[in-house]
Amino acid sequence: MYAFSPHAIPPALTSLAVIAFGIGLLRRPTRVHRAFAMMTATVAIWLGAFAFVYSSQSASIAYFWVKAAYLAVPAIAPAVYQLSVEMLRIHEQRRNAVRLGWASAGVATILVWTSSLLIDGVERFSWGFYPRYTVPFSFGFLLIFFGYL
């Protein structure tokens, strides 16, 4: 099912560090701190899931963890954008753009979990399994993702 992989250590440790940092800021819950915590949560879920991907011994288990990572990956860019908006104190002017980013992330997450439009499987490499992306949808996903970054 799972086996030790040295390639899983960096994302696992980084995931733990990032989430601890995000939780630490929630002691003083301001809009900026909540936005930062949301950003760290998305990154921690992504990295934590990929630690399991790299440790998986079967393609089906790795594929499950890739999909689990994509509960958060589409939300990373909108979370960074929202943090920027909150830090700059321009939330009122960018409210619709923030909502559109989160809605896009939701659509991408649903599509990953219900179809093979973005990821159609996993491949084994020397470091472990890694997602196999499809071209048409992933190009659109990357445009939106990097557009928000």
Side-chain angles (χ1 to χ4, degrees):
M1 196 162 183
Y2 298 98
F4 172 77
S5 170
H7 302 290
I9 295 171
L13 292 178
T14 305
S15 174
L16 293 173
V18 166
I19 199 67
F21 191 52
I23 289 171
L25 282 178
L26 287 177
R27 288 177 290 169
R28 294 183 11 220
T30 66
R31 289 177 70 108
V32 172
H33 290 156
R34 284 192 300 269
F36 187 84
M38 179 60 78
M39 185 191 67
T40 60
T42 60
V43 170
I45 292 168
W46 161 53
L47 292 172
F50 265 84
F52 283 103
V53 171
Y54 300 148
S55 299
S56 297
Q57 291 299 294
S58 74
S60 61
I61 292 171
Y63 189 55
F64 167 81
W65 284 109
V66 165
K67 286 189 172 226
Y70 273 79
L71 289 171
V73 168
I76 292 171
V80 170
Y81 184 75
Q82 183 167 4
L83 175 61
S84 301
V85 163
E86 296 297 348
M87 289 179 70
L88 294 170
R89 297 183 181 147
I90 56 172
H91 180 71
E92 292 302 318
Q93 297 95 312
R94 301 290 183 188
R95 178 179 306 214
N96 290 335
V98 169
R99 287 180 180 160
L100 181 62
W102 286 109
S104 300
V107 168
T109 299
I110 290 168
L111 288 174
V112 166
W113 273 90
T114 61
S115 73
S116 59
L117 289 174
L118 177 60
I119 302 167
D120 66 355
V122 293
E123 290 184 42
R124 185 179 268 295
F125 294 92
S126 60
W127 64 84
F129 287 99
Y130 200 76
R132 185 176 52 239
Y133 297 97
T134 62
V135 175
F137 186 74
S138 54
F139 181 72
F141 171 77
L142 290 173
L143 278 175
I144 294 168
F145 187 88
F146 287 115
Y148 267 89
L149 286 182

